[in-house]
Amino acid sequence: MKKLKFLFFPTILALAFGLMLSCSKSSEDNFNETVADTNDAINDGVANTNDNLEDILEDNNDTAVDLENALNGGGGSSNSSSCNNSKAFIVGNAVTEKCSRTDCPVSKIVIWDLDGCMTVVGESVMGAVDAASHNNSIYIADDAGFYWIVGADNKIEKKQINYPSGYKNSEITGISVNSIGDVYVAGIVVQNKKELTAYWKNGELVKTFSENADWYSEKHVAADSKGKVYIPGWRMKNHSVTYSALWINGIRKNLSTTHDGEATDAVIGSETASGSNVWISGAHGPYTRGGTLAAYWRRKPNGQTNQTKVTKVRTYNSPKNWVYSSRASSIFIGGSTVYMAGVVNVINAGDVPVYWKTKVQHELPVEFDLNTCDYCKADPTDISLLDGKVLVVGDYYDANDKVDSYYTHGENKAVYWLDKKLHKLCESCGSSYAVAVLVME
């Protein structure tokens, strides 16, 4: 999910031979921010942008499909002039039509552009969990034990992740493509009824490892050009101390040794002859009110690691001493600036969606009142920059939006915030989720 070279797809795609291409233009209503952040004024001031983009994409059930045939075969709804955005793409999962709870079709892996134009990549039992990009191709990790390549040559490929004898798939957690084009997938396998963290290179298992304590690796992975693989997570020491941890080629390096912590995401910054600068997001601090706060670490090529923690500020119109905790779920490096997306947990309001530029917090607007809607949520999942403006994607649930035939509950929606303006994706879909955002540099 990370420092990515992005896909530039051909002009417009159509239905052909098992392709499903649909375009669902999302509402581009701009919502005024309802929450004041006292620290925002000195850091913002950019306006929303509309980019000339080019839509893409395809639907493929299994093997490579030549989309050039589709171009010659006629157009679909994506031929609209509003569906030509090819600079930023959001990867996720969607039930592509409205349905009741008892007769919904199988969820599909999809890609949206910022105009809301959606392309179905393929059906998946488990769904996409992460995405990366290299040389104008998108790589998507599928929790069912596959990864998909949506190529610059207009083909979709579904690649099997191989399990040697004695290993069974348990979970796929992330994907990364290094600067020389090798594809690394991280996940969890089961051997002799024991779960092990694992990673693969170009579909072949490289290594498995475990800890002699409770531990977990998060849904991300990063790999550099020298083949070093970085998997963030946590490892419990005891009931009062949980290490923020980073596994490098399966060897654990503790990022913290006191209090509670976790590492949630990792990206490769610059690479030198002696190694890579690796940036890791997460949280750290005592498990007390206002103790555990979002943090990031920089691991230098010489192995030295430095931590930076955010500070508590007034959030959701509540005083800063009402902040219980905060957590960064993703990280992006733009030049020398660190961007993280995540949530701040505030008494009464619950989790408030935010992003941080270095240590400065910026709230992301929602349409519901978090103080009164107990089940409403907005959960950022990834962050990037588009023409200098912060682009955050996430999952959004408005419990007040009674969408089913019983009028009893809301619907999960993939959303994005561009320059702190909320946009919903695929209003005509059933439930949808965003797992990654990819921006072409």
Side-chain angles (χ1 to χ4, degrees), residues 156-212:
I156 297 177
E157 297 177 81
K158 186 178 182 181
K159 297 286 191 177
Q160 176 73 53
I161 295 171
N162 294 319
Y163 298 87
S165 177
Y167 292 94
K168 295 180 180 179
N169 175 37
S170 176
E171 184 179 8
I172 299 299
T173 59
I175 190 168
S176 178
V177 185
N178 69 7
S179 60
I180 59 176
D182 288 323
V183 181
Y184 290 86
V185 173
I188 297 174
V189 298
V190 175
Q191 184 188 39
N192 297 325
K193 299 182 180 180
K194 181 180 180 181
E195 286 195 334
L196 308 170
T197 291
Y199 64 88
W200 295 258
K201 177 182 177 182
N202 299 324
E204 300 301 324
L205 183 66
V206 175
K207 192 171 188 177
T208 64
F209 55 94
S210 64
E211 296 285 331
N212 60 350

Side-chain angles (χ1 to χ4, degrees), residues 317-338:
N317 285 333
S318 298
K320 67 179 183 180
N321 62 356
W322 284 27
V323 171
Y324 193 87
S325 64
S326 61
R327 176 184 186 268
S329 55
S330 60
I331 189 169
F332 176 83
I333 308 302
S336 59
T337 304
V338 179

Side-chain angles (χ1 to χ4, degrees), residues 3 268-272 275-279 298 301:
K3 190 172 180 193
I268 304 299
S270 58
E271 295 192 45
T272 67
S276 301
N277 286 288
V278 184
W279 301 83
R298 177 190 178 188

Side-chain angles (χ1 to χ4, degrees), residues 34-39 289 312-324 344-352 361 363 369-372:
T34 59
V35 179
D37 179 352
T38 57
N39 289 313
R289 178 168 162 179
K312 294 188 298 181
V313 298
R314 182 178 177 85
T315 303
Y316 209 69
N317 285 333
S318 298
K320 67 179 183 180
N321 62 356
W322 284 27
V323 171
Y324 193 87
V344 177
N345 186 271
V346 179
I347 295 173
N348 291 338
D351 287 344
V352 178
Q361 178 182 305
E363 291 183 33
D369 186 347
L370 287 168
N371 287 316
T372 60

Side-chain angles (χ1 to χ4, degrees), residues 226-278:
K226 294 179 173 60
K228 284 191 174 181
V229 178
Y230 305 85
I231 301 175
W234 55 265
R235 190 256 192 193
M236 181 177 285
K237 178 183 178 183
N238 54 48
H239 289 293
S240 61
V241 176
T242 299
Y243 298 139
S244 305
L246 181 71
W247 285 266
I248 304 174
N249 289 354
I251 306 300
R252 178 174 47 86
K253 304 293 182 181
N254 293 333
L255 301 173
S256 64
T257 57
T258 61
H259 303 306
D260 284 336
E262 64 172 327
T264 59
D265 191 12
V267 297
I268 304 299
S270 58
E271 295 192 45
T272 67
S274 59
S276 301
N277 286 288
V278 184

Side-chain angles (χ1 to χ4, degrees), residues 20 24 39 47 84 96 98 105 173 184 222 256 273 275 367 369 397:
M20 266 185 94
S24 175
N39 289 313
N84 60 355
T96 56
K98 291 290 186 183
T173 59
Y184 290 86
S256 64
E367 295 178 315
D369 186 347
Y397 180 82

